[in-house]
Amino acid sequence: MIRALAVANVRSLDPEVHDAVVTLPSGETVPFREMYDLYRPRIYRYLLSYARTAEDAADLTQAVFVRALQGLPSFQARAGGFNAWIFRIARNVATDAHRRRHYSLPWEHVPEYLHPLSDEEPETLALRREDLRRLKVLVDSLDARKREMLSLRFAGKLSAGEIAAVVGGSEAAVQKQLWRTVQWLKEHFDATEV
Amino acid sequence: MQPKSDAEIRVEYADLAPEGSDPSLTRLLRALDAAYDAPAPTAPISLARGGRPASPASKRVRTSIITRFLVLAAVAVVALTIHGFASTDISDLGKPANDTPAQYDRLENYGRVLPGKRPSGRVAVTLYDTPWDVNSAAGRWGIIKALHQFGRWSDLRKTTSAQAVAEGSMTDPSWKVPTYDLSHVHYSSSYVTFRHVVMQARRYGPHTHLSPREMALLNRVYRLPTVQSDRYIPLPAVVAGRYGWHGPWLEAWPLAVLQVPMHLLSPRSFDDVQRDWQKGDRGPYWVSEGNQYVNIVTAIICHEDGGRPHSVCLRHAIRYTQSKIK
C-alpha cells in the first residue's frame, strides 16, 4: 500500500489531517492515518536520538508528517523507496531543529529514564540497565555518522539499502560500516563488563 | 513489555548476526534494540497545521520569537528607509561566510585533474551541466556565489530546471528547482575566466561536441574509464585551473548531494532561495552546506591564482580551506 502512495496525490487536506484522504492512481482512496500509524513509532524513536526530550521528539515527529503530506504529491520512487523518503524528511527536520535549537544531547533517550524496560525481576532489570549505561557511553563515543546509522537501523528499523538512500553511499558500504560498528561495540561492550 | 527472545533478535538483525554467531553479539544487539525502543506517545500527535496545544515552555519560546521578530521588523523598516530597497542583483547571494567543511576525508569527488605547475594568467573555470537536471540546477547557485567574489556577472536570468525540461526528459516536471539561466550569461573578471558547457540538451540526448582533449579531462574528473554519451554521468562537473569535481555541492556533508536539490524544490521560488542564501547563518541549514561549497571553490581558485585578490583569498575560512587542498 505504501509503495502505491508513491504516485498518489493528496486529494484533500481537512483541518484535522488525520482525516486527509490520499487518492491512488487507481482511484482508490486511502486514509493518511494508515501511513501515519505505521510510521509514527519508528520516526519518533529515530527522532529521539536527536531531540533533547520526548516532547521535542513528538514535536519533530509532527513536523515530519506535515512535511510528508506536503511532499507526497511530488514523491518519486527512488532508491530506498518510501521508507528512505520519509526518513530523509525526518533527518532534514532533525537537522533543521539541531541547527536552530542547538541540541547537544545526542543519545539521551536511554529507556530507563523514559519508560520501564520490562516486568523482569529487579536484579535482571538492574543488569540490563547497567548494560544500557555502558552501551550509552560507547555509542556516544562514535562519530555522528555511525550513531545515525545505528539509529536508523535500530530505531527506524531500516535495511542497509534504505539507510544508504537516507545517508548516502552504497548499500554495501553501509552494511560494512554497520557491521564494523556493531563488532567494535561488541568488543568494547564485552571488555567493559564488570 | 516482554524482552525479545534470542531467536527474535537474531531474526530481526540477521544482517548483523548471522546464524551461529557468538552469543555476546546477540546480547549486544538486544541491548541496542532495547536502547532504541522507546514507545511513541500514546496520545495521537495532532497533524493539524496549528499543531498541538503549546506547552508553557513552547509558549515562552514563541513569545520570545515574536518579540525578536517585531524588533527585527522595526530595524528592517528603518534600514530600508535609510538605504532604500534591497539589492535586486540576482547574483547577490549574501556575504562570504566562514563555513568550512569539517571532514575533508569525505571530499572524495574533487582533486587534481591536470598535472604540472600552476598556469599563468587567469584561472579558467568551466562548468559542465545540463538545464533539465535538478543537481545541475542546484549546483549553479554555488558557482554563481563563488565567482561573484572574483568578478561581475551580467545577463543572468531566473529559471527552473522544469522550464528547461525538453520533450522526452525523464525529469518529473514537479521537480522545479529554481536556478540561473546561463544561456546569455557574461562574466568579467581580472582573475577568472568562465565558460559554460551544456552537456545534454535533454536526457539521452547527445553530448555537446567536446574535443578529445576535453573528453579526456572529463574522464579524469569522473575517474571513469570513459565518459560515454549514452551513459548517465553525474552532473554538474566543474574544472577550475588544475582541479575538477562533480556533483551539485561538494560532499562536505554526506547527504549534501542528495538533499540540496530537495531543499530547493518547488513551490519555492527563485527569490525565496536567493533570500535564504542572503540570510547566511540565519538561513536554513543547507545554506551552510552551500557556503562550505562556495568556500572550497573559492579556495581552489585562490590556490590556482596565487592568492589573488587578497580581499578574497586572505579570509581565514579561505586560507584554512586552501591549506587542505592537495
Side-chain angles (χ1 to χ4, degrees):
Chain A
M1 186 277 290
I2 293 303
R3 287 194 184 280
L5 286 174
V7 284
N9 291 311
V10 176
R11 192 185 64 183
S12 63
L13 280 182
D14 292 341
E16 280 297 324
V17 180
H18 287 151
D19 299 329
V21 173
V22 177
T23 305
L24 304 181
S26 62
E28 182 191 355
T29 55
V30 179
F32 180 73
R33 177 78 194 214
E34 279 186 27
M35 187 185 92
Y36 175 69
D37 286 345
L38 186 62
Y39 282 92
R40 182 176 59 107
R42 294 163 65 188
I43 297 284
Y44 173 80
R45 284 194 295 265
Y46 168 65
L47 290 172
L48 264 177
S49 61
Y50 281 92
R52 183 159 36 197
T53 65
E55 188 186 40
D56 286 340
D59 282 344
L60 295 179
T61 304
Q62 174 176 327
V64 169
F65 283 97
V66 170
R67 278 201 203 178
L69 262 173
Q70 292 165 346
L72 261 178
S74 59
F75 173 79
Q76 292 183 317
R78 291 175 171 237
F82 191 84
N83 279 353
W85 181 76
I86 198 161
F87 273 88
R88 273 200 295 268
I89 293 176
R91 190 178 197 263
N92 292 344
V93 165
T95 310
D96 284 345
H98 182 83
R99 275 179 57 85
R100 291 185 193 289
R101 301 189 195 180
H102 303 293
Y103 287 150
S104 58
L105 303 171
W107 209 58
E108 287 302 308
H109 64 285
V110 175
E112 60 191 295
Y113 302 119
L114 297 174
H115 67 103
L117 273 171
S118 69
D119 301 327
E120 293 169 279
E121 293 297 317
E123 284 176 19
T124 313
L125 200 56
L127 279 174
R128 288 203 190 283
R129 283 185 172 161
E130 175 56 21
D131 280 356
L132 285 170
R133 190 196 62 74
R134 287 189 293 120
L135 190 57
K136 174 180 166 8
V137 171
L138 292 173
V139 171
D140 277 348
S141 72
L142 297 171
D143 68 39
R145 183 176 168 87
K146 288 175 183 163
R147 281 203 308 269
E148 174 157 46
M149 284 186 182
L150 286 178
S151 182
L152 287 166
R153 181 68 187 88
F154 288 91
K157 307 293 182 193
L158 297 191
S159 67
E162 290 164 343
I163 294 170
V166 175
V167 303
S170 69
E171 178 179 350
V174 166
Q175 182 64 53
K176 188 185 288 183
Q177 207 162 0
L178 265 175
W179 171 260
R180 284 180 178 164
T181 303
V182 166
Q183 291 299 318
W184 184 89
L185 283 172
K186 184 180 84 70
E187 282 168 28
H188 289 78
F189 192 61
D190 293 345
T192 56
E193 191 167 18
V194 283
Chain B
M1 184 189 311
Q2 285 302 315
K4 292 175 183 168
S5 68
D6 284 359
E8 285 172 322
I9 290 288
R10 279 197 297 268
V11 167
E12 187 164 354
Y13 300 107
D15 55 324
L16 299 171
E19 204 168 332
S21 57
D22 150 13
S24 64
L25 181 58
T26 310
R27 185 175 157 207
L28 172 80
L29 294 173
R30 179 202 300 289
L32 280 166
D33 185 75
Y36 284 99
D37 191 27
T42 49
I45 298 168
S46 168
L47 291 179
R49 296 215 184 268
R52 62 186 180 152
S55 66
S58 302
K59 281 180 184 168
R60 277 198 299 278
V61 169
R62 283 173 199 166
T63 308
S64 163
I65 289 170
I66 290 168
T67 309
R68 283 186 204 174
F69 174 77
L70 289 174
V71 170
L72 285 173
V75 169
V77 167
V78 172
L80 278 176
T81 309
I82 295 170
H83 296 292
F85 291 102
S87 165
T88 54
D89 177 5
I90 67 169
S91 66
D92 176 9
L93 297 180
K95 293 177 184 172
N98 291 322
D99 303 274
T100 52
Q103 299 189 14
Y104 282 86
D105 56 333
R106 289 188 183 155
L107 298 177
E108 292 168 351
N109 61 339
Y110 90 106
R112 281 281 292 272
V113 292
L114 287 172
K117 292 181 180 175
R118 192 171 62 220
S120 58
R122 291 183 289 173
V123 179
V125 175
T126 306
L127 169 65
Y128 303 86
D129 70 4
T130 192
W132 53 262
D133 173 52
V134 291
N135 289 327
S136 294
R140 289 182 184 180
W141 290 91
I143 294 295
I144 295 295
K145 180 165 183 179
L147 267 60
H148 184 72
Q149 302 169 95
F150 296 93
R152 179 180 171 79
W153 292 104
S154 53
D155 297 323
L156 280 171
R157 295 175 188 174
K158 303 174 186 178
T159 188
T160 67
S161 57
Q163 275 181 24
V165 171
E167 190 182 351
S169 164
M170 294 293 285
T171 301
D172 185 331
S174 65
W175 285 56
K176 292 174 188 163
V177 176
T179 188
Y180 291 92
D181 176 355
L182 300 179
S183 48
H184 304 283
V185 73
H186 295 285
Y187 179 73
S188 55
S189 166
S190 304
Y191 310 98
V192 176
T193 62
F194 176 75
R195 189 167 72 100
H196 178 223
V197 178
V198 177
M199 292 291 283
Q200 289 172 295
R202 61 189 173 93
R203 197 163 196 174
Y204 306 127
H207 281 177
T208 299
H209 292 293
L210 298 176
S211 66
R213 186 177 173 185
E214 199 155 20
M215 287 295 277
L217 184 61
L218 274 184
N219 287 337
R220 286 197 288 274
V221 171
Y222 291 111
R223 297 179 182 84
L224 294 173
T226 55
V227 174
Q228 297 171 9
S229 59
D230 59 347
R231 285 177 54 185
Y232 173 75
I233 55 172
L235 291 169
V238 184
V239 175
R242 294 167 299 168
Y243 289 80
W245 61 92
H246 57 85
W249 246 242
L250 283 188
E251 291 184 281
W253 198 47
L255 258 189
V257 169
L258 286 174
Q259 291 201 338
V260 168
M262 295 290 290
H263 285 290
L264 301 181
L265 284 180
S266 62
R268 310 200 66 240
S269 69
F270 183 99
D271 293 342
D272 288 341
V273 176
Q274 186 182 9
R275 273 193 292 272
D276 281 343
W277 274 99
Q278 290 171 340
K279 287 176 192 166
D281 289 342
R282 292 176 292 107
Y285 82 91
W286 60 258
V287 174
S288 169
E289 305 297 330
N291 279 325
Q292 288 176 20
Y293 174 64
V294 168
N295 282 340
I296 294 168
V297 176
T298 306
I300 287 173
I301 294 172
C302 287
H303 182 76
E304 290 298 90
D305 201 24
R308 297 181 310 140
H310 293 337
S311 59
V312 174
C313 299
L314 290 185
R315 284 175 41 229
H316 174 73
I318 302 303
R319 278 187 293 142
Y320 175 76
T321 308
Q322 213 180 318
S323 71
K324 305 289 180 183
I325 296 172
K326 294 171 185 169

